[in-house]
Amino acid sequence: MSKIFKYLKPYWLFALLCPLSMILEVSMDLIQPQLMSNIVDNGILGSGALDENLQYVLRTGILMLGFSLLGCAGGIASAAFGTTVAQKFGNDMRKDTFDKVMHLSFQQTDKFTTGSLVTRLTNDITAIQQFVAMSLRMFVRTGMQFLGGIACLLTLNVNFGLVLIISLPVQLTVVALIMKRAAPLFGVVQNKLDKVNSIVQENVTGARVVKAFTREEYEIDRFGNANSELMETNMKVQKLLAILNPILMVVMNASVMAIILIGGLQVEAKAMEVGSVMAAVTYITQILMSVMMVGMMFQQVSRAMASAKRVKEVLDTEPVIFDGNSGAKITEGKVEFKNVSFAYPNTSGKPVLKNINLTAQPGQMLAILGSTGCGKTSLVNLIPRFYDCTDGEVLIDGVNVKDYKLDDLRSNIGVVLQKSELFSGTVAENIRWGDDNASDDEVKLAAQTAQAEEFIQGFTDGYDTMISEKGASLSGGQKQRMSIARAILKKPKILIFDDSTSALDLSTEAKLHAALRERLTDVTVIMIAQRIASVMRADKIAVIDKSTICAFGTHAELMQTSKVYRDIYYSQMKEEGGASVG
Ligand code: CTP
Ligand code: MG
């Protein structure tokens, strides 16, 4: 709730004007029945001459019209103010939440799941927005209609109080009972919606894999289940709400009858006039209608509360990875791991890396070799702080990575991820992700170093060729080289290749290595690979096995000292007929 007020604050003036204009509208609504009753009692049934009565009806009629126009103006103004506030409020809240999401650490986004973050950013914020728009107008409207109606009704005749004493408690109890059961379901609805969104997302982004494995039927079933669960919960809510209004209508009609009965008796006894009874019927309808509105509002409130809780969870999440404050700058790019251990938060503390000690020197290429799933990606992820190590220290130029400002740290590290991510845009635009201000020549040079120049020139539009979403129009090896060019253009002190040459043939890979050596003479290069052929020319090779570094040295040294390395070497020689590793 306090979060909602925080976001309303900048628009307080409109947020105030909205209910104020609403007061104008409701006041006019409350005056109308009284004027109507005057027309009947003093005009139509009046004791004066016919001409005089007609004049009275006309005058009061014009007055009613004027008031109703005034009320209408109030209504329009109120709606305009309310909508403006709600839209701006939603916009601000969405922006802040998105900002938060962008700064969350990977382990936190993993926890929320992408589907849920999308629901929270769209559907949940819209629900809160609707609630704000409604409450600004409806709280005032309902309150005034209710209290004003009661006052007007009792002024007409105190005996009508009898009807209220009976009908109000009945209505309020019905509303309370139903809402008590419906409210908890709104949160459930949002969670089910998360699931539906997650499945849609997985399948849209993974459409190719789904088709390749002909898993369409399975995925359609999975979606169907999540979708029916959503529908069933929604149905439960709707069933509850469906019985609400008919019950309230019965109470309302009974109350109207009671008013007519009491009013009729009063008219009989000459204590009241017919017009006043008509006005009383309108007032009781307004009063009981406002109770119905309270029911509707409760619905919106519980829905908005459920959503607000979910958005708040995101807004209140403090990124676990934040700027350090030493003010240090990376100068050389020497990377050291000191007794580093690491476990993912989700794998119940089982360490992926244990007691790693390793140094990568500027101007050298350090290769990391190891079987799939042994923790290579996890290891290099600790350098730009995609995750923080659980034990030990990762140092760059002798300073703990946690002490650098994140921007300073990450702008000096070029990472080519294991899975190349490109964006829709031209080839040049994609490479310029590394550096917005790079000249055409610099882009070209980066592409040359990455061995991408050749295939780019082969495109009809060269560097202006459009790449479709996620780089779907490129081959795996082309995507990898584009990602490498992008990282090189950044001119980082430290360049990390996470299995980024796996899709290149060995001769292209050798050319890439030669170009890197020739052009990036003072950069620290860390290269993860599965193939020994890819790493044997590196200055140093670290072999990871059983979560730790089991061997370290040059190719020649490792062939002498490490059995694991020799095993990998001979098994790969056999596979590739010995030609590639010789
Ligand atoms: N892992 C995890 N949570 C993640 C990522 C990885 O629990 N968010 C686990 C994996 O199940 C794996 C281990 O961490 O057992 C190491 O993963 P990773 O570092 O990605 O292994 P790599 O050596 O990079 O494997 P590959 O060669 O297949 O890329
Ligand atoms: Mg990996």
Side-chain angles (χ1 to χ4, degrees):
M1 252 311 178
S2 61
K3 270 258 149 58
I4 293 186
F5 281 121
K6 191 190 119 196
Y7 281 96
L8 278 180
K9 223 169 146 197
Y11 311 110
W12 67 270
L13 184 63
F14 276 24
L16 196 71
L17 286 175
C18 172
L20 283 183
S21 354
M22 183 49 89
I23 292 181
L24 184 67
E25 192 190 359
V26 183
S27 318
M28 295 305 123
D29 281 357
L30 285 171
I31 293 175
Q32 297 287 357
Q34 189 57 56
L35 292 176
M36 190 67 205
S37 133
N38 288 351
I39 288 189
V40 174
D41 294 341
N42 306 341
I44 300 172
L45 304 176
S47 51
L50 186 64
D51 202 32
E52 229 172 84
N53 284 351
L54 208 60
Q55 283 294 324
Y56 182 83
V57 171
L58 204 65
R59 267 205 316 277
T60 320
I62 291 174
L63 202 61
M64 280 177 79
L65 190 68
F67 280 154
S68 109
L69 282 178
L70 205 60
C72 181
I76 293 174
S78 166
F81 290 133
T83 313
T84 312
V85 172
Q87 288 302 332
K88 296 201 169 191
F89 162 94
N91 185 43
D92 290 358
M93 188 175 250
R94 231 183 326 264
K95 243 184 355 210
D96 275 11
T97 315
F98 183 73
D99 198 85
K100 199 67 180 208
V101 171
M102 292 310 279
H103 286 98
L104 288 182
S105 323
F106 286 157
Q107 63 193 74
Q108 292 170 313
T109 33
D110 291 353
K111 209 181 84 204
F112 277 118
T113 77
T114 336
S116 175
L117 285 174
V118 173
T119 326
R120 287 170 207 238
L121 263 165
T122 51
N123 196 287
D124 281 320
I125 293 188
T126 312
I128 306 173
Q129 198 173 335
Q130 275 167 357
F131 161 73
V132 167
M134 183 208 64
S135 54
L136 280 180
R137 306 179 54 204
M138 286 309 164
F139 274 135
V140 174
R141 183 181 187 101
T142 316
M144 261 188 82
Q145 217 171 15
F146 182 72
L147 295 176
I150 292 180
C152 292
L153 185 70
L154 294 182
T155 322
L156 284 173
N157 195 313
V158 238
N159 290 318
F160 290 140
L162 208 63
V163 181
L164 288 179
I165 290 177
I166 300 173
S167 60
L168 276 183
V170 174
Q171 277 214 331
L172 289 172
T173 316
V174 173
V175 170
L177 279 180
I178 291 186
M179 278 308 135
K180 202 171 153 228
R181 296 191 52 193
L185 289 176
F186 291 118
V188 181
V189 169
Q190 293 309 97
N191 287 341
K192 303 272 177 202
L193 191 61
D194 277 358
K195 269 205 203 129
V196 171
N197 275 347
S198 287
I199 296 178
V200 170
Q201 200 145 37
E202 266 177 15
N203 279 287
V204 173
T205 43
R208 285 183 173 75
V209 188
V210 175
K211 287 208 167 36
F213 285 84
T214 53
R215 295 271 286 185
E216 286 102 332
E217 288 307 319
Y218 174 83
E219 289 298 319
I220 289 171
D221 269 2
R222 200 158 75 98
F223 177 80
N225 289 341
N227 204 20
S228 343
E229 272 181 38
L230 173 65
M231 183 193 69
E232 274 155 28
T233 323
N234 261 327
M235 288 287 273
K236 253 193 237 167
V237 177
Q238 293 307 327
K239 267 188 212 154
L240 279 172
L241 297 180
I243 50 176
L244 184 62
N245 281 355
I247 298 182
L248 295 185
M249 281 311 276
V250 170
V251 178
M252 187 148 89
N253 287 331
S255 308
V256 169
M257 272 162 59
I259 292 277
I260 294 178
L261 190 73
I262 296 177
L265 291 174
Q266 297 285 325
V267 173
E268 199 95 308
K270 299 259 182 282
M272 252 182 109
E273 289 177 273
V274 181
S276 302
V277 180
M278 281 173 58
V281 168
T282 315
Y283 285 131
I284 189 87
T285 318
Q286 279 186 3
I287 295 167
L288 297 181
M289 273 292 204
S290 64
V291 178
M292 275 172 88
M293 284 304 300
V294 171
M296 299 240 302
M297 271 159 51
F298 261 114
Q299 230 187 91
Q300 289 255 13
V301 171
S302 356
R303 189 168 299 173
M305 283 303 155
S307 289
K309 203 170 131 221
R310 288 159 47 89
V311 174
K312 192 168 171 290
E313 268 171 14
V314 180
L315 283 172
D316 285 353
T317 306
E318 283 309 320
V320 284
I321 290 179
F322 42 83
D323 280 338
N325 47 15
S326 73
K329 297 275 185 258
I330 295 176
T331 48
E332 300 195 329
K334 178 175 160 194
V335 180
E336 281 170 280
F337 289 84
K338 273 196 183 161
N339 299 319
V340 168
S341 296
F342 174 67
Y344 284 99
N346 55 356
T347 42
S348 60
K350 191 176 163 285
V352 173
L353 297 168
K354 273 185 291 195
N355 221 2
I356 303 277
N357 285 291
L358 186 66
T359 306
Q361 299 287 356
Q364 294 202 346
M365 184 189 288
L366 168 72
I368 297 174
L369 191 76
S371 60
T372 171
C374 70
K376 303 180 295 293
T377 301
S378 310
L379 181 73
V380 294
N381 275 348
L382 302 177
I383 304 172
R385 295 187 72 200
F386 291 156
Y387 293 88
D388 272 341
C389 56
T390 19
D391 248 317
E393 290 177 307
V394 180
L395 308 170
I396 297 180
D397 294 342
V399 176
N400 195 319
V401 283
K402 292 179 188 172
D403 293 333
Y404 287 104
K405 274 189 69 182
L406 279 177
D407 266 358
D408 290 339
L409 176 72
R410 291 181 182 160
S411 62
N412 279 299
I413 303 174
V415 190
V416 187
L417 298 174
Q418 190 160 16
K419 186 167 162 274
S420 328
E421 288 278 2
L422 297 176
F423 297 82
S424 49
T426 65
V427 168
E429 277 164 7
N430 265 283
I431 298 179
R432 276 216 175 82
W433 265 66
D435 177 5
D436 280 343
N437 306 316
S439 69
D440 288 349
D441 284 342
E442 283 173 311
V443 171
K444 220 170 138 87
L445 191 70
Q448 273 167 5
T449 313
Q451 308 302 309
E453 169 86 350
E454 206 178 295
F455 77 80
I456 295 174
Q457 293 297 3
F459 294 146
T460 30
D461 293 329
Y463 283 87
D464 295 324
T465 309
M466 282 303 289
I467 296 178
S468 56
E469 197 182 17
K470 288 189 169 282
S473 53
L474 298 179
S475 79
Q478 288 171 339
K479 267 192 277 192
Q480 283 188 337
R481 282 173 282 168
M482 288 278 298
S483 312
I484 294 173
R486 179 173 69 186
I488 292 174
L489 188 69
K490 205 173 161 185
K491 299 202 186 70
K493 298 272 181 345
I494 301 160
L495 196 49
I496 300 169
F497 295 93
D498 187 353
D499 215 3
S500 321
T501 52
S502 57
L504 303 188
D505 58 68
L506 288 174
S507 84
T508 310
E509 189 180 38
K511 277 191 237 161
L512 171 72
H513 284 197
L516 289 177
R517 271 194 193 285
E518 189 190 315
R519 297 199 182 140
L520 308 179
T521 42
D522 50 3
V523 176
T524 313
V525 178
I526 299 179
M527 182 159 295
I528 294 179
Q530 306 258 6
R531 299 184 297 201
I532 283 201
S534 311
V535 301
M536 54 194 292
R537 292 180 201 89
D539 297 295
K540 284 284 188 306
I541 303 168
V543 185
I544 301 190
D545 188 38
K546 301 203 176 69
S547 317
T548 191
I549 292 179
C550 67
F552 184 75
T554 62
H555 172 71
E557 286 164 4
L558 290 174
M559 284 302 283
Q560 296 286 320
T561 55
S562 168
K563 179 170 182 313
V564 177
Y565 189 81
R566 269 197 310 269
D567 286 351
I568 303 174
Y569 177 80
Y570 288 119
S571 73
Q572 291 189 359
M573 267 234 315
K574 225 185 285 159
E575 262 168 42
E576 308 196 8
S580 55
V581 277

